[in-house]
Amino acid sequence: MPLPTMTHSSSFLLLPATSSPHPPPADDASAAYAVVVLNQRLPRFAPLLWDRARLRVCADGGANRVFDGMPELLPAEDPDQVRMRYKPDVIKGDMDSIRPEVKEYYSNLGAEIVDESHDQDTTDLHKCVSFITRNPPGSEESNLYILVLGALGGRFDHEMGNINVLYRFSNIRIVLLSDDCSIFLLPKTHSHEIHIEQSIEGPHCGLIPMGSPSASTTTTGLRWNLDNTSMSYGGLISTSNIVEEETVRITSDSDLIWTISLRN
């Protein structure tokens, strides 16, 4: 019995609405976006994603990044006006990284401050995703997309913790973003169609069996396609592959990480 198909597209995240060349996939049409900002440098497209989101959550020191970084990304505008406009709805986490003056500033603007320093068993990103799934910005969890800024770069163990969140919440569409690439999980419960917006992403991409080995992965649309190919650490993994077509199709018996480069 064929698997149901899940579609993916970045064009409606990273392109201005007037620039998108085709309508969104049917299951993206009513998407509700939430943004999580972690404690790494904001990517250049942070203001665009922030404006499209219906819920904005800063993970602890991510609030410092918004406070400092948004005015830097919008240098033609008054910094105070930028900070007032780009106010997080919620700041959540251990509260060991946020500067006191930043915490006070956003609290005075009405941001909800949620101190979870008592919980040392989960990461700040895990805490934020848990909060969003309990308080989704849309009416249906199936339409929820969580876009994570600052998930890549910095300490390697932090990056691995962020990727682990993709597996912990495999039923939620979560995209990790940096200036250089995007990363998301391809659950084995579906086949996948990834619509490539060549003006903003590619050509380099990768498929990585991080949770468990894959005995069988098949792709189309790549320069070096996989044909019922096994992948595992210590064996083959598909890194530095090249997108050749506008649609990449992937089926696997294992959850896979998909990553693709982002153009400047």
Side-chain angles (χ1 to χ4, degrees), residues 9-258:
S9 174
S10 297
S11 64
F12 304 96
L13 302 178
L14 301 178
L15 281 178
T18 56
S19 300
S20 184
H22 39 69
D27 57 350
D28 288 359
S30 58
Y33 296 112
V35 162
V36 176
V37 180
L38 303 183
N39 192 13
Q40 289 293 332
R41 183 173 61 88
L42 294 179
R44 61 192 180 280
F45 43 78
L48 175 64
L49 298 188
W50 188 282
D51 289 340
R52 292 191 171 166
R54 292 162 61 180
L55 178 63
R56 297 99 172 179
V57 181
C58 286
D60 197 358
N64 300 335
R65 301 290 180 162
V66 173
F67 186 89
D68 297 333
M70 285 298 195
E72 293 175 354
L73 292 172
L74 300 166
E77 300 185 37
D78 178 80
D80 292 334
Q81 292 297 318
V82 170
R83 291 191 177 105
M84 291 182 67
R85 187 164 80 248
Y86 292 97
K87 173 191 74 67
D89 300 303
V90 180
I91 300 172
K92 188 175 178 68
D94 295 343
M95 301 300 148
D96 59 352
S97 300
I98 186 172
R99 302 197 304 268
E101 69 273 17
V102 173
K103 181 178 178 182
E104 181 181 11
Y105 178 85
Y106 287 131
S107 179
N108 290 339
L109 288 179
E112 180 182 358
I113 310 295
V114 183
D115 186 338
E116 292 204 345
S117 54
H118 62 279
D119 177 6
Q120 294 299 309
D121 294 329
T122 60
T123 65
D124 282 343
L125 177 57
H126 187 286
K127 294 177 176 72
C128 290
V129 171
S130 293
F131 175 86
I132 293 168
T133 58
R134 294 193 304 269
N135 303 274
S139 58
E140 296 183 29
E141 188 177 274
S142 60
N143 295 329
L144 175 63
Y145 284 72
I146 300 177
L147 314 175
V148 186
L149 309 183
L152 307 170
R155 281 171 43 187
F156 180 70
D157 60 329
H158 284 171
E159 291 183 318
M160 290 298 98
N162 295 335
I163 291 172
N164 186 53
V165 168
L166 301 183
Y167 285 85
R168 293 286 295 270
F169 295 89
S170 60
N171 60 320
I172 303 294
R173 293 186 188 237
I174 304 172
V175 184
L176 309 183
L177 291 151
S178 73
D179 267 327
D180 300 312
C181 68
S182 68
I183 294 175
F184 53 85
L185 185 71
L186 303 179
K188 65 183 179 182
T189 53
H190 290 70
S191 62
H192 298 272
E193 287 188 1
I194 304 174
H195 299 279
I196 307 300
E197 181 50 60
Q198 295 180 352
S199 66
I200 59 172
E201 59 186 346
H204 297 95
C205 65
L207 277 171
I208 305 170
M210 294 198 69
S212 61
S214 168
S216 175
T217 297
T218 298
T219 69
T220 64
L222 303 178
R223 179 171 298 177
W224 297 286
N225 279 308
L226 307 175
D227 182 9
N228 197 30
T229 303
S230 61
M231 294 193 296
S232 65
Y233 277 96
L236 172 71
I237 58 175
S238 181
T239 60
S240 297
N241 213 323
I242 301 291
V243 170
E244 295 263 285
E245 299 177 13
E246 291 187 354
T247 301
V248 174
R249 293 179 173 85
I250 301 165
T251 303
S252 181
D253 66 342
S254 175
D255 295 341
L256 299 177
I257 292 291
W258 165 262

